[in-house]
Amino acid sequence: MRTYLYSEAGFIEKPQWMPNSWVNVECPDDNDFDFLTQELKVPESFLEDIADADERPRTETEGNWLLTILRIPMQSSQHGIPFITVPIGIITNNEIIVSVCYHKTELISDFIQHTRRKGIVVNNKLDLILRMIYSSAVWFLKYLKQINNDVANAEKELEKSIRNEDLLRLMKLQKTLVYFNTSIRGNEVMIGRLKNIFQDTDYLDMELLEDVIIELKQAYNTVNIYSDILTGTMDAFASIISNNVNAIMKRMTSLSITLMIPTLIASFYGMNVDIHLDGFPYAFIFIILISVVLSAGTFIWFRKIKWF
């Protein structure tokens, strides 16, 4: 699906393409692909690069075309991972600006609505790219808050009862933070490349550039803090589980030794040797009492050394 957007006081949707407008394409079909390659003459190699789910943030030129690939966050149910990052490509030349993403995300629609609310006028292609990076940093921070809440909820559940499901939940959140960390760092590298590409042009807005850098640094620092907290939490619960296992093994060992004493006495008594109790009328009761006393003494001793 594609939309044609023109910057007036925020991006306004138009019924057809016009020069210097922004063509936003999400989840492109064959019709969109034909429009981009045949009417706008967008290089097919660019579209193939954007389709790669593992594509890293980078820039590439072909003729007078410039491809800028960013990574943006989105919600996901893939393998139980709540959030992932996907590539979005911004393809530009002197009068054409095209963004292509093979996934439906909240970021694009929110970005368009934000420009309308604030009456933001996007003056050129670099302005659009920088504002898109800024918006991605905002969404990274928004999703990081949700991740922090999920971690807190998982911790409360683990305090009640340590279950594999809750530990796996924390592991998937940790994997999400790794995705976020890598993507934010890649977008930061893109800032430097874009600055070098446009440093001798009138496109570079230093104030906007500084705002984008600050927002990305905040997102990067936040994801590192949450990652360290989550790592410490998982290590703490791993230690708790190990201690619980050790405590259970101590109890099982103590119980085995305690129950072994009557068995040992019965084994001695059952041997085919003379133990001088054949004529004793209460031999059986006597042996039972000895077994109980020894087992009780062993139990008390284990309790004293806190093995039970």
Side-chain angles (χ1 to χ4, degrees):
M1 184 185 72
R2 64 180 182 270
T3 54
Y4 309 106
L5 301 156
Y6 194 80
S7 181
E8 294 176 356
F11 281 104
I12 306 301
E13 188 171 342
K14 300 292 183 179
Q16 60 185 5
W17 179 80
M18 61 180 66
N20 297 317
S21 65
W22 169 27
V23 182
N24 177 44
V25 183
E26 290 185 304
C27 304
D29 53 21
D30 292 337
N31 185 31
D32 297 324
F33 192 84
D34 292 339
F35 171 79
L36 295 175
T37 55
Q38 296 178 16
E39 295 192 34
L40 299 185
K41 307 301 180 184
V42 172
E44 291 187 21
S45 61
F46 285 0
L47 301 176
E48 293 172 356
D49 291 342
I50 300 168
D52 184 2
D54 298 322
E55 192 66 52
R56 310 315 308 162
R58 63 183 179 85
T59 60
E60 183 179 338
T61 57
E62 184 174 323
N64 64 338
W65 289 95
L66 171 67
L67 169 64
T68 305
I69 296 180
L70 311 171
R71 301 235 17 133
I72 60 176
M74 65 172 287
Q75 291 186 341
S76 170
S77 58
Q78 176 183 349
H79 306 300
I81 299 175
F83 305 100
I84 60 173
T85 63
V86 295
I88 180 173
I90 303 174
I91 307 169
T92 60
N93 66 7
N94 295 331
E95 61 178 17
I96 296 175
I97 301 175
V98 178
S99 66
V100 180
C101 184
Y102 284 79
H103 303 268
K104 182 70 174 178
T105 68
E106 297 177 274
L107 186 148
I108 300 296
S109 58
D110 179 75
F111 173 70
I112 295 171
Q113 292 297 327
H114 175 72
T115 61
R116 293 174 182 172
R117 288 194 304 268
K118 299 294 185 179
I120 297 173
V121 177
V122 178
N123 299 313
N124 52 65
K125 54 189 177 183
L126 179 60
D127 200 355
L128 175 63
I129 295 172
L130 291 177
R131 291 185 183 279
M132 193 74 73
I133 297 175
Y134 185 93
S135 182
S136 73
V138 171
W139 276 92
F140 274 121
L141 289 169
K142 184 180 296 186
Y143 288 147
L144 283 169
K145 290 180 181 178
Q146 295 185 34
I147 291 173
N148 190 41
N149 291 334
D150 290 342
V151 171
N153 293 333
E155 287 178 357
K156 290 179 181 178
E157 293 297 326
L158 285 169
E159 288 173 1
K160 299 175 183 177
S161 174
I162 296 178
R163 300 181 304 170
N164 290 339
E165 293 82 359
D166 295 319
L167 292 173
L168 289 173
R169 182 179 171 190
L170 288 178
M171 184 188 69
K172 289 172 182 176
L173 290 173
Q174 191 172 40
K175 187 180 293 186
T176 297
L177 292 176
V178 173
Y179 292 153
F180 279 18
N181 188 307
T182 305
S183 299
I184 293 171
R185 288 176 60 188
N187 289 348
E188 279 189 311
V189 173
M190 281 299 310
I191 296 293
R193 293 178 182 173
L194 292 171
K195 186 177 179 180
N196 292 332
I197 293 173
F198 294 98
Q199 63 181 349
D200 296 328
T201 67
D202 297 332
Y203 294 157
L204 191 59
D205 184 345
M206 292 304 299
E207 184 177 349
L208 175 60
L209 181 65
E210 289 297 325
D211 290 342
V212 175
I213 292 174
I214 292 172
E215 198 70 15
L216 275 177
K217 285 183 177 179
Q218 182 181 352
Y220 181 68
N221 291 334
T222 303
V223 75
N224 281 332
I225 291 171
Y226 287 171
S227 182
D228 291 342
I229 292 173
L230 183 54
T231 300
T233 300
M234 294 194 68
D235 290 343
F237 280 114
S239 299
I240 292 172
I241 292 171
S242 179
N243 289 337
N244 290 343
V245 171
N246 291 336
I248 291 171
M249 292 304 299
K250 286 167 61 177
R251 291 191 181 97
M252 294 298 295
T253 303
S254 303
L255 183 61
S256 299
I257 294 173
T258 302
L259 295 178
M260 183 185 69
I261 294 174
T263 304
L264 184 63
I265 294 174
S267 299
F268 287 150
Y269 184 68
M271 289 182 179
N272 191 21
V273 294
D274 189 6
I275 57 174
H276 308 292
L277 290 176
D278 295 342
F280 188 62
Y282 302 105
F284 179 76
I285 297 175
F286 177 70
I287 294 171
I288 293 296
L289 288 176
I290 291 177
S291 300
V292 170
V293 169
L294 291 177
S295 296
T298 304
F299 178 80
I300 293 171
W301 183 72
F302 280 131
R303 290 280 291 182
K304 187 175 181 180
I305 64 174
K306 298 181 179 180
W307 271 44
F308 263 109

